[in-house]
Amino acid sequence: MTRELTEITVVGGDKTGLIARVTTLLFERSINIEDLDQAVRDGLFRMTMRVDAAEMDTSREELRRALADLGRELDVDIQVRFPNDRESRRIALLVTKESHAPETLLEAERNGELAEDGEAEIPVVIGNRGDLRDLAERYDKPFYDVGDGNGSPDEDRILDLLAEYDVDLVVLARYMRILGPNVVFRYEGRILNIHPSLLPAFPGAQAYRQAKEAGVRVAGVTAHYVTTDLDQGPVVTQRAFDVPDGASVADIKARGQPLEAEALLEAVRLHLADAVSVHKGRVRLREDADVDAQLGLPTSAREANPDSPVDGEPLQSPPAPSDD
């Protein structure tokens, strides 16, 4: 029997009985709920379900119509995503001023290296400022500036664009604004961000400056899934680098930016390959994932790590000198 997991997301005002209404509708159509997660933030309710629709006794169109009707009745937004609705996955890039990360992703798409199977595209670039319009146009991408002139974005416009371009994955390619729950809840588990530190160290703004002021010897970058808690989402990939004595913030940034682009691109590839899962806040490679991934340190660095001494295991003493 083919097992087809489908994602259903409900977002709107918190209402008594809302969960029961949705789950009852699914039960009546022989749809089995495999996983259900819910949260409320700033008065906004979000429920994400993964359901087995392999034996449902209705069509996809009828299910979407029934859930849309229920959503209008309850004044909530209900979205249904079947895993094989479309072969090519669509990625929206959200950007601000820094070009290194978005350009790496756009170049990977141009070279057919964005996804292992080649079935991925970037149909739109969205900025909270207009600085990277030329970059988007150089890659023949439509660019939308949704900022107010001071960098504050219109998140309703962002949601409209994500819906218009039928986006599967949102990538914050050095997008320098915090996404509100109205966006995060609708795309939970489908938003990747790159942060310029080894999280959980130095969250928030000016992470490279924080690293310099803390006097660290090793700094790094982290690609992670976005949640409503700032820089606390599940970590996908990390890269580390040395911070030499006397390094300025600009020096640290120059060392980190290429790794930001590398770590973000790998996280995108892993997500598109469905190679990772999140369990209790930790991202794991799926057992059946056929990928060659560097989630943390490279092999050479891991092999250089000492493996002793360890508590309870005495060091091997050298042989006693001979009397001869």
Side-chain angles (χ1 to χ4, degrees), residues 5 37 94 137 139 157 159 161 230 239 274-275 279 296 315:
L5 288 183
D37 183 56
L94 268 61
E137 292 177 349
Y139 285 88
R157 179 63 173 145
L159 286 172
L161 289 167
L230 178 63
R239 298 289 188 272
D274 196 25
H279 180 67
L315 291 172

Side-chain angles (χ1 to χ4, degrees), residues 14 20 31 44 123 131 184 188-189 193 234-235 243 275 285 293 308 311 315:
D14 193 14
I31 297 172
L44 190 68
D131 298 62
V184 174
E188 186 130 359
N193 180 50
V235 170
V243 179
L285 276 177
S308 65
D311 284 351
L315 291 172

Side-chain angles (χ1 to χ4, degrees), residues 53-103:
E55 297 186 344
M56 69 178 181
D57 58 9
T58 187
S59 67
R60 294 184 177 190
E61 292 72 21
E62 193 282 328
L63 176 62
R64 284 194 169 103
R65 185 164 51 250
L67 286 170
D69 289 344
L70 180 61
R72 283 190 290 271
E73 179 186 340
L74 299 174
D75 193 25
V76 295
D77 178 50
I78 304 180
Q79 298 292 330
V80 185
R81 289 173 44 82
F82 288 94
N84 59 353
D85 273 347
R86 183 178 58 246
E87 289 185 2
S88 181
R89 281 67 49 84
R90 292 174 166 241
I91 301 165
L93 295 187
L94 268 61
V95 302
T96 299
K97 292 183 176 181
E98 297 181 9
S99 64
H100 58 286
E103 186 165 13

Side-chain angles (χ1 to χ4, degrees), residues 56-311:
M56 69 178 181
D57 58 9
T58 187
S59 67
R60 294 184 177 190
E61 292 72 21
E62 193 282 328
L63 176 62
R64 284 194 169 103
R65 185 164 51 250
L67 286 170
D69 289 344
L70 180 61
R72 283 190 290 271
E73 179 186 340
L74 299 174
D75 193 25
V76 295
D77 178 50
I78 304 180
Q79 298 292 330
V80 185
R81 289 173 44 82
F82 288 94
N84 59 353
D85 273 347
R86 183 178 58 246
E87 289 185 2
S88 181
R89 281 67 49 84
R90 292 174 166 241
I91 301 165
L93 295 187
L94 268 61
V95 302
T96 299
K97 292 183 176 181
E98 297 181 9
S99 64
H100 58 286
E103 186 165 13
T104 294
L105 292 169
L106 290 165
E107 189 67 20
E109 183 208 21
R110 173 176 285 181
N111 297 331
E113 299 172 348
L114 193 56
E116 290 284 338
D117 58 8
E119 299 294 343
E121 60 179 315
I122 301 171
V124 63
V125 180
I126 303 169
N128 64 314
R129 296 182 181 275
D131 298 62
L132 297 187
R133 183 182 300 276
D134 288 346
L135 173 66
E137 292 177 349
R138 192 160 74 243
Y139 285 88
D140 298 319
K141 304 297 181 183
F143 179 88
Y144 297 89
D145 180 358
V146 299
D148 64 355
N150 295 312
S152 296
D154 180 347
E155 292 200 342
D156 289 335
R157 179 63 173 145
I158 291 176
L159 286 172
D160 288 344
L161 289 167
L162 297 180
E164 177 183 341
Y165 284 91
D166 199 12
V167 166
D168 299 288
L169 176 65
V170 179
V171 178
L172 309 186
R174 297 301 286 134
Y175 178 73
M176 306 301 288
R177 285 286 174 167
I178 299 171
L179 285 179
N182 201 32
V183 177
V184 174
F185 276 178
R186 284 172 167 79
Y187 290 86
E188 186 130 359
R190 293 186 287 133
I191 307 176
L192 286 169
N193 180 50
I194 185 66
H195 183 75
S197 80
L198 289 173
L199 291 173
F202 314 133
Q206 300 188 355
Y208 289 136
R209 181 171 297 280
Q210 292 183 61
K212 174 177 173 54
E213 292 174 351
V216 299
R217 293 290 184 180
V218 176
V221 304
T222 303
H224 65 97
Y225 284 110
V226 172
T227 66
T228 52
D229 297 313
L230 178 63
D231 295 332
Q232 295 183 43
V235 170
V236 184
T237 58
Q238 292 186 301
R239 298 289 188 272
F241 59 91
D242 284 330
V243 179
D245 290 340
S248 66
V249 173
D251 295 333
I252 298 172
K253 187 174 183 178
R255 289 183 171 229
Q257 283 189 340
L259 296 178
E260 291 175 27
E262 178 184 307
L264 182 59
L265 176 58
E266 179 156 43
V268 168
R269 287 171 172 163
L270 290 169
H271 179 92
L272 293 175
D274 196 25
V276 292
S277 62
V278 181
H279 180 67
K280 295 183 177 179
R282 182 176 176 86
V283 171
R284 302 174 183 272
L285 276 177
R286 297 186 188 276
E287 291 183 1
D288 59 350
D290 185 19
V291 294
D292 182 18
Q294 180 194 324
L295 273 68
L297 292 173
T299 301
S300 57
R302 292 198 304 270
E303 291 176 348
N305 284 340
D307 57 10
S308 65
V310 177
D311 284 351

